[in-house]
């Protein structure tokens, strides 16, 4: 008895799914998630039943006629046979008896395969015996992969991701291969470490050159066709990202109730590289999901956040962009954000209590009033992170004196 061909989920040597070449004659018990094969009494290895065409690949919307031919040795009439597709018995109206030993079935306007390893089309004897099987691959050829981008963590490796072209769904197994080579003289290589936990990504862990551009592209193929992405050209130094800044600390600024101080360290993996880092900070209220981003931190590793709410918990994160490694003129790639660090601003009501000296309280009130005026002026004339320096304070004092002089002049004119 010929061994019927049943679609399986095994992979070939190249990682693509394929049907098994041989299976013992079996009765097939179909479930929603797997096939269970029950051995049957037939043991002959001669071809007593065949399906043609075998394992066809078709475009969605195609029609197909398949013929099951049984050996006269079986003593089965073609009219007693029947067909199933993925375990579902097909209507007799789709059958045609071509001869005493041949039964065909015609399928119209085929939909995409229900499983990427192919749909199971099976020819059965009248008692349910599995006589022969075939896999139907119904889908679409791949379109050109798009959005190919790559990045290197600390110049040591290279990760790339891409998106399938078009709608992305081909309905049959489609293989994607990332290829790369040095631009002028390199030998073409294939990326081997595909991240199965994240679709359409590949990782090159070692043996990468710097100061020399690479050509990188993706090839997509299945049984219905193939397509190749555009080639991107990049130098590893132009796509470097790094780990998030470590040792992020957030603390209060004395008794100022609307400020927090943020400090962090440079990424240690880049300590031996010549580069100019840029940093960003973002912060949010404890009970809010909305982050506010501070873009003007520059290359300093500290920042003072102003204009915050008194007596409030804030979460703060920092990220790094290693710009200009070894003179690269590219914009750089931002790292992931650091883990959130929490701190609270002082409660203004608590700060105003606990004083026993009326003079001290009066002086403190005057100081608080002047500081409030100063930081209000500062928020109008600066943005984001600002190092509050004596120079900035002097500028405010000059502005305040000028404003007072103007008011005095206006008052004098009114009295005249």
């Amino acid at each position: 008895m010929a061994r019927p061909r049943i679609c399986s989920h095994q992979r070939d040597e190249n990682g693509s799914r394929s049907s098994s070449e041989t299976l013992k004659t079996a009765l097939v018990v179909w479930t929603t998630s797997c096939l269970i094969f029950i051995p049957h009494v037939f043991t002959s290895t001669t071809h007593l039943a065949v399906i043609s065409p075998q394992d066809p690949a078709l475009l969605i919307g195609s029609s197909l006629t398949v013929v099951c031919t049984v050996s006269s040795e079986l003593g089965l009439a073609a009219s007693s046979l029947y067909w199933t597709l993925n375990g579902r018995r097909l209507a007799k109206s789709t059958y045609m008896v071509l001869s005493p030993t041949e039964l065909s079935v015609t399928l119209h306007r085929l939909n995409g395969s229900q499983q990427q390893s192919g749909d199971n089309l099976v020819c059965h004897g009248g008692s349910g015996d599995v006589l022969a099987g075939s896999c139907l691959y119904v889908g679409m050829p791949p379109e050109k992969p798009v959005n190919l981008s790559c990045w290197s963590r600390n110049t040591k490796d290279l990760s790339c991701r891409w998106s399938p072209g078009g709608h992305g769904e081909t309905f049959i197994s489609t293989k994607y291969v990332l290829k790369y080579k040095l631009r002028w003289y390199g030998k073409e290589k294939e990326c081997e470490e595909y991240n199965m936990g994240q679709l359409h990504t590949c990782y090159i862990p070692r043996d990468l050159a710097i100061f020399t551009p690479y050509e990188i592209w993706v090839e997509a193929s299945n049984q219905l066709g193939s397509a190749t992405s555009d080639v991107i050209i990049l130098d590893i130094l132009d796509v470097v990202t790094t780990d998030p800044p470590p040792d992020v600390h957030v603390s209060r600024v004395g008794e100022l109730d609307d400020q927090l101080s943020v400090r962090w360290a440079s990424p240690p993996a880049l300590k031996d590289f010549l580069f100019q880092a840029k940093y960003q900070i973002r912060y949010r209220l404890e009970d809010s999901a909305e982050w506010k981003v501070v873009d003007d931190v520059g290359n300093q590793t500290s920042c003072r956040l102003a204009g915050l709410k008194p007596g409030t918990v804030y979460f703060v994160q920092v990220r790094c962009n290693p710009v200009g490694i070894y003179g690269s003129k590219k914009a750089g790639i931002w790292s992931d954000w650091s883990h959130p660090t929490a701190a609270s601003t002082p409660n203004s009501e608590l700060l105003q209590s606990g004083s026993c000296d009326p003079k001290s309280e009066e002086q403190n009130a005057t100081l608080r009033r002047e500081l409030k005026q100063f930081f209000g002026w500062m928020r109008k004339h600066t943005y984001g992170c600002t190092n509050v320096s004596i120079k900035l304070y002097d500028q405010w004092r000059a502005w305040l004196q000028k404003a007072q002089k103007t008011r005095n002049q206006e008052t004098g004119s009114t009295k005249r």
Side-chain angles (χ1 to χ4, degrees), residues 217-244:
W217 67 97
V218 176
E219 296 178 359
S221 61
N222 63 24
Q223 290 153 297
L224 293 172
S226 62
T228 301
S229 73
D230 293 333
V231 177
I232 64 172
I233 299 173
L234 60 83
D235 189 311
I236 300 298
L237 295 177
D238 293 337
V239 293
V240 175
T241 186
T242 185
D243 300 314

Side-chain angles (χ1 to χ4, degrees), residues 76-336:
L76 297 175
S79 59
S80 68
L81 309 180
Y82 69 91
W83 293 90
T84 62
L85 180 62
N86 290 335
R88 182 178 61 86
R89 190 162 179 163
L90 298 175
K92 286 188 176 182
S93 60
T94 60
Y95 303 172
M96 179 175 288
V97 176
L98 304 179
S99 74
T101 59
E102 292 179 314
L103 179 69
S104 71
V105 63
T106 300
L107 307 172
H108 295 288
R109 296 183 294 278
L110 288 165
N111 296 320
S113 293
Q114 294 182 18
Q115 53 192 32
Q116 288 197 338
S117 57
D119 292 335
N120 289 289
L121 181 64
V122 180
C123 177
H124 298 264
S127 61
D129 303 332
V130 174
L131 303 178
S134 175
C135 293
L136 302 187
Y137 301 97
V138 185
M140 300 292 292
E143 296 190 41
K144 181 175 75 173
V146 295
N147 301 328
L148 174 60
S149 62
C150 303
W151 63 96
S152 174
R153 187 170 294 276
N154 305 324
T155 75
K156 305 300 183 184
D157 56 15
L158 191 69
S159 298
C160 297
R161 73 161 64 97
W162 62 90
S163 302
H167 297 295
E169 179 60 82
T170 60
F171 295 94
I172 60 177
S173 179
T174 299
K175 183 178 180 181
Y176 293 88
V177 179
L178 181 95
K179 296 185 177 182
Y180 62 101
K181 73 181 192 69
L182 289 171
R183 185 176 185 185
W184 293 295
Y185 53 84
K187 180 181 178 182
E188 182 179 300
K189 297 180 181 180
E190 290 188 9
C191 180
E192 297 180 355
E193 295 192 20
Y194 292 88
N195 186 351
M196 302 310 295
Q198 189 174 2
L199 290 176
H200 312 308
T201 64
C202 197
Y203 176 66
I204 304 170
R206 64 185 70 85
D207 300 329
L208 293 166
I210 58 176
F211 302 111
T212 304
Y214 279 92
E215 294 180 358
I216 304 175
W217 67 97
V218 176
E219 296 178 359
S221 61
N222 63 24
Q223 290 153 297
L224 293 172
S226 62
T228 301
S229 73
D230 293 333
V231 177
I232 64 172
I233 299 173
L234 60 83
D235 189 311
I236 300 298
L237 295 177
D238 293 337
V239 293
V240 175
T241 186
T242 185
D243 300 314
D247 303 324
V248 178
H249 298 283
V250 185
S251 57
R252 295 179 176 182
V253 183
E255 296 183 348
L256 297 177
D257 60 4
D258 66 341
Q259 295 188 40
L260 289 172
S261 175
V262 186
R263 296 183 179 277
W264 60 91
S266 297
L270 293 178
K271 62 180 176 22
D272 297 327
F273 292 97
L274 179 65
F275 73 102
Q276 182 76 28
K278 291 196 305 185
Y279 295 98
Q280 274 186 347
I281 292 177
R282 69 177 186 179
Y283 61 97
R284 65 174 176 85
L285 297 170
E286 181 182 25
D287 57 355
S288 173
E290 181 180 353
W291 292 93
K292 293 184 178 180
V293 179
V294 180
D295 287 313
D296 65 341
V297 183
N299 64 346
Q300 60 189 349
T301 55
S302 65
C303 170
R304 184 175 294 186
L305 300 175
L308 307 178
K309 292 183 178 180
T312 304
V313 175
Y314 284 87
F315 287 96
V316 181
Q317 292 179 295
V318 185
R319 65 177 181 174
C320 174
N321 186 333
V323 179
I325 293 182
Y326 290 129
S328 170
K329 298 185 182 303
K330 298 295 183 179
I333 299 176
W334 288 104
S335 72
D336 294 332

